[in-house]
Amino acid sequence: PTWDTSDRGTAGMRIAHVMLSRGWGGAERFVLDLAKGISEDGHEQLVVVRQAFDRWEALEAIPGVSVCRIPARGNWDFFSVPPMVAAGKRFQPDLVHGNMARGSWMAGRLGKSLGIPVLITLHNYIRRKYCRNVDYFATITRDAARYVEGWGIPADRVRWIPNFSTFPPVEAPDLFRTEPPTFVALGRFVHDKGFDLLLRALRTTLDQAGPARLILAGAGPEEAALRSLSRSLGLDEYVDFTGWVEDVMAFYARGDVFVLSSRHEPFGIVLLEAMAAGKAIVSSLAEGPREVLDEGTAFLATLDSADSLADAMVRSIQDREESVRRAEAGLDLYRDRYQADKVIPQYLAYYRDIIG
């Protein structure tokens, strides 16, 4: 397509996004939701994705968004650069916004080719080499901002903008209406998510506090090992492996307490979703959660400790009044800080500052 480029003011910005990660997770959802919010504010967008990205049609369905699909077989895939740059030249963006390591590298190449500024969002602690042609940084945590400033990047080129969710918040928590109490958790079945710790913690919770259920949604390379561990711990009648879920809010509604057991979690959009759903939260003190949560909003556990996680889980179902109180506090925090209409304007302001 050919775009009208007669109005180059920031009132009608043109943003090119580059997101080339695999699969579907928090970063991919971030780009989709951000594109929707930017579209609603009246701006044109080009989104560069992998050819294999199976949700490109959802991006293209957003008004004012066009999608460029490239092979992206590696950071130095020269066959991917010409179609990306050609799409960029047709679109004539004011700014390139990259995400994740490969997306940051390729965003830098696109921005350099077009002679325009490049902004990236750090969703995790990527290496500096991927940011060679990057001018500005958005970080989802303050700790990540310090990490980037440690490279010698001027502070005025680094801005902390938290992650967000588009989930509408519930009116109030509605917990422990049925017995036994139910824990819910979801994510990719990989070592960093700590679902092995969660299963061991559930075993201890059952031994100390009586019957409870766990509904575990997700898939990944560790699924067989997790199912085997569940059987060996005698948890078959207490754990329900549901696979991936599309209706996440309906999934949260099935539980009373959301558990995040991650060993490594740069932010954790699932936490925001649980807060929006009015759930009580048990969380490890990984990088992101320790900036989002405190003892007033969640039951916190030592990192990489099944025993500490079990202690938090036991407290969450034994002191139910406190669970409801912390769920209410988390719901208020979500409304005040992490709902999309609180965060997307921060990105739009950053875009205007950079372009201006």
Side-chain angles (χ1 to χ4, degrees):
T2 301
W3 290 268
D4 177 10
T5 60
S6 58
D7 177 12
R8 306 305 291 174
T10 59
M13 295 181 286
R14 288 177 172 81
I15 308 300
H17 304 273
V18 183
M19 191 277 296
L20 302 172
S21 51
R22 300 176 183 272
W24 177 251
E28 295 81 9
R29 188 182 308 174
F30 164 85
V31 172
L32 180 62
D33 289 341
L34 182 62
K36 289 177 180 177
I38 293 171
S39 171
E40 290 170 3
D41 203 59
H43 309 286
E44 298 287 329
Q45 298 169 88
L46 169 70
V47 186
V48 181
V49 298
R50 295 170 66 98
Q51 278 182 343
F53 184 57
D54 62 3
R55 309 217 181 193
W56 69 269
E57 291 176 312
L59 282 164
E60 201 163 58
I62 301 170
V65 171
S66 290
V67 176
C68 172
R69 300 164 68 200
I70 62 176
R73 297 185 181 93
N75 296 328
W76 291 269
D77 179 3
F78 297 103
F79 294 103
S80 294
V81 176
M84 176 180 69
V85 172
K89 287 181 177 178
R90 291 194 302 270
F91 180 61
Q92 295 188 32
D94 300 300
L95 170 74
V96 180
H97 186 172
N99 291 270
M100 306 296 283
R102 184 172 298 173
S104 298
W105 172 259
M106 295 294 275
R109 299 192 69 174
L110 178 58
K112 183 178 181 180
S113 297
L114 301 178
I116 60 174
V118 176
L119 161 72
I120 67 167
T121 293
L122 259 74
H123 298 272
N124 51 30
Y125 295 79
I126 65 174
R127 284 185 272 178
R128 186 177 184 178
K129 69 178 184 179
Y130 296 112
C131 308
R132 186 175 302 168
N133 295 305
V134 173
D135 305 294
Y136 298 89
F137 298 81
T139 66
I140 60 176
T141 62
R142 294 182 178 89
D143 186 66
R146 291 189 289 268
Y147 172 74
V148 173
E149 290 171 7
W151 297 344
I153 305 298
D156 63 354
R157 289 177 176 256
V158 183
R159 190 172 298 189
W160 168 68
I161 304 178
N163 250 330
F164 66 91
S165 172
T166 59
F167 282 12
V170 298
E171 289 295 324
D174 184 19
L175 308 179
F176 306 114
R177 296 297 186 186
T178 60
E179 294 293 338
T182 301
F183 297 101
V184 290
L186 76 163
R188 291 176 295 115
F189 290 166
V190 294
H191 179 74
D192 278 352
K193 297 301 182 183
F195 291 126
D196 58 317
L197 300 172
L198 175 54
L199 292 174
R200 297 183 191 281
L202 178 64
R203 179 69 270 170
T204 302
T205 299
L206 296 174
D207 293 341
Q208 294 183 1
R213 296 178 60 232
L214 168 64
I215 306 175
L216 185 54
E222 291 198 351
E223 181 170 354
L226 291 172
R227 288 180 178 273
S228 176
L229 177 61
S230 179
R231 286 192 298 272
S232 69
L233 293 171
L235 296 176
D236 279 353
E237 65 179 292
Y238 304 103
V239 179
D240 180 11
F241 288 87
T242 68
W244 283 112
V245 294
E246 291 296 327
D247 190 342
V248 180
M249 284 302 278
F251 171 75
Y252 285 113
R254 298 173 64 187
D256 303 299
V257 181
F258 172 78
V259 185
L260 187 141
S261 53
S262 298
R263 295 179 169 95
H264 171 64
E265 191 66 65
F267 189 90
I269 289 180
V270 289
L271 288 176
L272 305 186
E273 296 168 346
M275 292 159 69
K279 300 295 116 176
I281 295 174
V282 168
S283 177
S284 69
L285 281 166
E287 305 93 315
R290 64 175 175 247
E291 286 201 16
V292 175
L293 303 169
D294 58 26
E295 285 289 350
T297 52
F299 297 89
L300 302 176
T302 304
L303 195 67
D304 203 5
S305 171
D307 289 340
S308 182
L309 194 65
D311 178 66
M313 292 168 68
V314 168
R315 285 188 290 134
S316 73
I317 60 175
Q318 286 188 333
D319 192 345
R320 300 189 180 188
E321 288 186 5
E322 181 63 15
S323 283
V324 172
R325 190 192 68 77
R326 296 190 192 195
E328 290 172 342
L331 184 58
D332 289 340
L333 179 62
Y334 173 75
R335 291 191 186 106
D336 292 342
R337 185 177 298 175
Y338 298 111
Q339 207 167 347
D341 62 3
K342 302 293 185 181
V343 178
I344 291 177
Q346 297 180 53
Y347 270 102
L348 293 170
Y350 201 10
Y351 292 165
R352 292 187 180 100
D353 289 346
I354 293 169
I355 294 169

